[in-house]
Amino acid sequence: MNNFKFLFAIVFLAGAFQGQAQTLYVDAINGKNVAQGTASDPFLSLEKAVAKANTFRGDNEITIKIARGLYILHNPLKIENASASANYFIEALVMPDDTAWRPDKMPVIQSVAVPDAKARFKKCVAFDIERSNVVIRGLKFIGNPSPEAEYFYAIERHNEKLSNLLISQCYFLGEKTFAPIQGAVFAQGAGIHIDHCIFYGCKNAALVFLGLKDFSLTHSVIYGAYEAAMWYGYGEGSNTPFTFSNNVVSNCNYLLVSDKASEHHYTFSNSVISNNQNYLGFNGMEVEGPDLKNTPIETNIDKTGSVILNEVTAKGVPVNYLNLAPNSAGYNLNAGIFKKP
């Protein structure tokens, strides 16, 4: 087990034994507006569950279990429980590696929010993370169809002083013509870990800038990012090492964009990085061009392999949709929504 995974697990396990866990249930099909939030009496909406969870106090672990169905958010869902030392899970009731899992068991999160008129630019957010120690697992995020939502971020953690954010086994599905995702994950601060996610058709998959430490992106598929698969660091933060391994990045504009003022030598390992228009770029606030002075360290990188995904067909949605097909480059990397090979 990698050191960062071990430390992250220890943090969570330690929190779990400090007090009794508090678990809430949400069901978009069978839930009720007025409910107790139990397995037998679930909330109808995520807003109700999060509002309840945000009132919890003490060092008790918090879990929100989400049943299958479509969850439409009209405003950012603020995860802001004051007991920041407690671990806060937001996860699917049935996870992708469970034997009962099928694509239709996955909760679907869609924001239809419009930008805040007071914001510096026209952005809106689905999950607004305003606390440390948050885990998001097994959810499908789709784009925002509002014509006013010029910049939509599925998950945002703006405060660089926060730590420990794990995003695992999630889909981020954007459609640039009518439901775009500007950035699937826009996060700052320490301990950002992304694994076993699929980013398909997002303008950018991961945007991380300030306060970076112990960042990792592993076992994920990024396909069709039409600006960049990843933006990393600002100023000195661009020089902070990170873990990038067992990923498949294809049909993107840039692999990675970072601050042009820095000299860094990022390490990419055990990954397929093929059929992208550009490799490294540098930025002001927009991509300005190829970064020619920074040379990445590459270990076991396939730059020529053909990436083939399991697509939806006339027969329906396959269980492994948008995961790598058996004849795809990188099939042996265990990248994609399932952790079990």
Side-chain angles (χ1 to χ4, degrees):
M1 181 182 291
N2 292 337
N3 286 339
F4 76 84
K5 289 183 178 178
F6 177 76
L7 291 173
F8 202 49
I10 291 296
V11 168
F12 280 160
L13 288 172
F17 288 100
Q18 291 179 6
Q20 184 178 1
Q22 301 169 104
T23 302
L24 299 172
Y25 291 82
V26 189
D27 190 327
I29 299 172
N30 300 306
K32 295 181 293 185
N33 281 319
V34 179
Q36 297 298 312
T38 61
S40 59
D41 188 25
F43 291 116
L44 178 65
S45 72
L46 270 173
E47 289 91 341
K48 291 280 188 180
V50 169
K52 178 67 174 177
N54 286 346
T55 68
F56 293 159
R57 295 295 180 264
D59 291 330
N60 298 330
E61 184 177 279
I62 299 168
T63 302
I64 296 178
K65 295 240 179 221
I66 309 173
R68 68 188 183 97
L70 175 62
Y71 297 84
I72 296 178
L73 305 177
H74 293 86
N75 296 289
L77 195 67
K78 290 190 176 184
I79 313 302
E80 56 182 354
N81 177 276
S83 300
S85 62
N87 307 312
Y88 195 134
F89 292 84
I90 306 173
E91 61 186 21
L93 184 63
V94 181
M95 291 291 294
D97 285 318
D98 294 344
T99 55
W101 190 87
R102 302 189 309 272
D104 65 349
K105 291 288 185 74
M106 200 168 209
V108 179
I109 313 296
Q110 181 171 44
S111 168
V112 295
V114 299
D116 183 351
K118 298 179 181 178
R120 186 165 55 88
F121 59 97
K122 294 182 178 180
K123 74 158 188 172
C124 52
V125 176
F127 282 17
D128 180 9
I129 309 300
E130 298 185 4
R131 71 182 319 272
S132 295
N133 304 325
V134 173
V135 177
I136 299 170
R137 302 193 302 186
L139 309 182
K140 181 198 295 183
F141 294 86
I142 59 178
N144 187 325
S146 171
E148 299 178 65
E150 185 175 350
Y151 296 91
F152 168 64
Y153 303 104
I155 298 173
E156 178 180 280
R157 191 179 76 179
H158 189 72
N159 187 344
E160 64 183 281
K161 295 181 180 180
L162 298 177
S163 61
N164 294 337
L165 172 62
L166 173 62
I167 301 168
S168 184
Q169 295 185 278
C170 291
Y171 281 100
F172 298 89
L173 309 180
E175 171 45 63
K176 61 184 176 182
T177 60
F178 65 86
I181 295 178
Q182 171 75 17
V185 179
F186 181 13
Q188 315 205 75
I192 302 166
H193 300 300
I194 302 169
D195 71 68
H196 289 280
C197 290
I198 295 178
F199 303 87
Y200 185 88
C202 302
K203 187 174 183 179
N204 303 280
L207 304 120
V208 292
F209 294 104
L210 301 177
L212 301 180
K213 182 181 179 182
D214 186 29
F215 172 80
S216 68
L217 174 63
T218 69
H219 298 92
S220 294
V221 176
I222 303 175
Y223 193 93
Y226 50 100
E227 187 165 70
M230 187 168 124
W231 291 59
Y232 185 82
Y234 184 77
E236 285 302 314
S238 300
N239 295 322
T240 305
F242 61 84
T243 300
F244 181 102
S245 69
N246 292 77
N247 297 311
V248 174
V249 181
S250 186
N251 281 56
C252 299
N253 184 14
Y254 281 89
L255 165 67
L256 183 144
V257 178
S258 60
D259 187 42
K260 64 182 179 181
S262 302
E263 290 194 32
H264 35 257
H265 302 284
Y266 301 130
T267 299
F268 305 123
S269 62
N270 302 324
S271 297
V272 176
I273 303 172
S274 68
N275 197 32
N276 301 296
Q277 294 182 26
N278 302 284
Y279 196 34
L280 302 185
F282 63 86
N283 73 288
M285 288 303 291
E286 301 291 338
V287 175
E288 295 183 1
D291 188 344
L292 301 177
K293 70 178 181 179
N294 292 303
T295 304
I297 300 167
E298 300 173 345
T299 304
N300 192 26
I301 298 299
D302 180 353
K303 291 186 175 180
T304 61
S306 178
V307 174
I308 303 169
L309 305 181
N310 294 303
E311 302 280 358
V312 177
T313 70
K315 294 182 179 180
V317 181
V319 171
N320 56 357
Y321 77 109
L322 299 184
N323 284 268
L324 299 171
N327 57 336
S328 173
Y331 181 73
N332 63 330
L333 295 175
N334 196 28
I337 208 74
F338 304 108
K339 291 189 176 183
K340 297 178 182 177

